Amino acid sequence: MNSIQNKILTITISAILICALALGHIGYNSVQQVSHKNSERVMSSIVTENAAKYDRIFSDTMNITNILAGYTQDRIASLEDLQEPGFVEKFNSRAELNFINVANNSDYAASVYVRFNPKFTSGTAGMFFVRNGLKFDNPDKRTMTWLNVPPTDINKYANAHYEFMSWWDETLQSGKPTWVAPHQDNVIDGQVLSYVVPIYVDGEIAAVVGCDIRYDLLTAPLKDIHVFETGSGFLIDKNGLIIYHPKILDPKVNARVKNDKTLISQKIKSITNTNDTFTFTNSEGTDVMISVHKLGNGMYLAAGANMGEINEERNDMLTRMLISTILIVMMLAFVTIVFTHRLVAPLKELTYASEQIASGDLDNVKLPATKTNDEIGRLNDSLKRTVGALRKYINRVNGLAYQDPMTGVKNRTAFLEAASKMDLEIASSKAEFAVVVFDINNLKQVNDSLGHEYGDKLIVLASKVICPIFKHSPIFRIGGDEFTAVLTGEDYENRQKLMREFTQTINNNIDTGIDFKLIIASGMADYNESTDIFFDDVFIRADKAMYENKAIVKAKYGFKSR
């Protein structure tokens, strides 16, 4: 029957469904976007943290090799020295202890060596020391010894391109310090990664000095990198090919990993930043997220996980949202059927509000101002709570992701994202900016003497001093007592004036309410397109300027309370 009640029911239920669909659509998109970004941050954080360990190993290896190369270089005056009888033996006798002492400064050096060019002396001339008892987990130097192993005869394998001679062949071919890809070493009886430095005398390569890292010591930590349920870390060479994956021996994944090498290689070759995260569909049709970090030797550390696992938490949240939405719709439909005669006027407002929700305009949603305690009132309150909960959830997620909870300024996550955007502007030759780094002095003294509560107040006060002066620029809190401002536009044009204003403000003895002055060291650096390649180059110079200013402030105030 085409009654007014049926018409009202039709209109009312339609409005309810529109609201439910609109809220569901907005909630789905919001949760999906936030979940994806958070997953990228988690993956990138895992890779970056572990990459720092590898870079320290590679840096130590290059340092000790360069020291030994400098030692060797200083002791070869000319090529005639190598042909002098007894020169090599005398060099070995004097250099042996120095080589071992320098190598002991690295926990991961498996072998160190100096080999003289057989073009000027014998094919076995040089030294080769192998460390005995090296383990990955907390190496104890007291249990290690160095074995002096007879060097391989280079002439015997010259130009034959044997894998175990790649340290010699590749270094001679490149003619410069070279990271040699993992290769078999017959003395250590395993694969090693080598860093080799050529020694030039009279324009000729007279010798090479090298250091080997056992490959199994580099791959061992990968087994401890766990990403979600089944994700793992792996190594990629500088050409973008997977060279080690902890699951490569698993027959179930062996074929898939090998088939995916080409796909991953194509992605790696397109990466221009040190860090990057991307998704791709593997040979089985499964979506995979991979985060990579370029290491100091040109290789990449990566971590990958199945998108299905990454999205499990998101899917669980969406399921709960769907069930909640269905329950709300059922409740509202029941209320509508029972009390349709009281819905006509309020439903007009609810329909308009639902149209706003459907358009995604949550900020301007206005629900009926009814204060009745009947079904209409409860329906109105339910929608208010639903919209409010969604607003609160979205604001909370955004706040957690980008805002420092103590000071209200942007946090380190927002700073890293801003740095990436500035790198893109630098790459497009559109960058014009300056970086200011601030550091609060006396914070440790305040925390130690008065407690962290007063230290936190000092941090908040510092942000209140910085923000009004650089009001047109984003302010980031990147550490416990450190802030950063990225100046563009008007603030960039007036940067010198603003820095003077900031210095004058600090010098005016701001009242902190405690027995310590608010003293903030600062340093600024301008972007220079002729020297700066990345945003981090500008930041490092600003940080250095801050520390120089910090020394001046320390000399002036002596870090004393007032």
Side-chain angles (χ1 to χ4, degrees), residues 283-307:
S283 55
E284 292 184 342
T286 302
D287 290 335
V288 179
M289 178 181 288
I290 292 180
S291 184
V292 298
H293 182 101
K294 190 172 184 178
L295 301 174
N297 69 335
M299 296 168 60
Y300 294 85
L301 177 64
N306 191 310
M307 287 298 295

Side-chain angles (χ1 to χ4, degrees), residues 395-449:
N395 290 336
R396 179 174 176 272
V397 171
N398 288 334
L400 289 174
Y402 297 102
Q403 189 178 54
D404 176 52
M406 181 186 297
T407 62
V409 301
K410 297 179 183 296
N411 61 11
R412 183 170 183 82
T413 299
F415 173 73
L416 295 176
E417 194 162 294
S420 297
K421 291 180 180 179
M422 295 306 298
D423 282 341
L424 294 177
E425 289 192 19
I426 291 174
S428 62
S429 300
K430 298 179 180 179
E432 186 179 58
F433 66 95
V435 177
V436 185
V437 178
F438 308 91
D439 185 90
I440 304 172
N441 293 339
N442 290 337
L443 183 61
K444 186 178 186 302
Q445 292 182 352
V446 172
N447 285 334
D448 291 344
S449 59

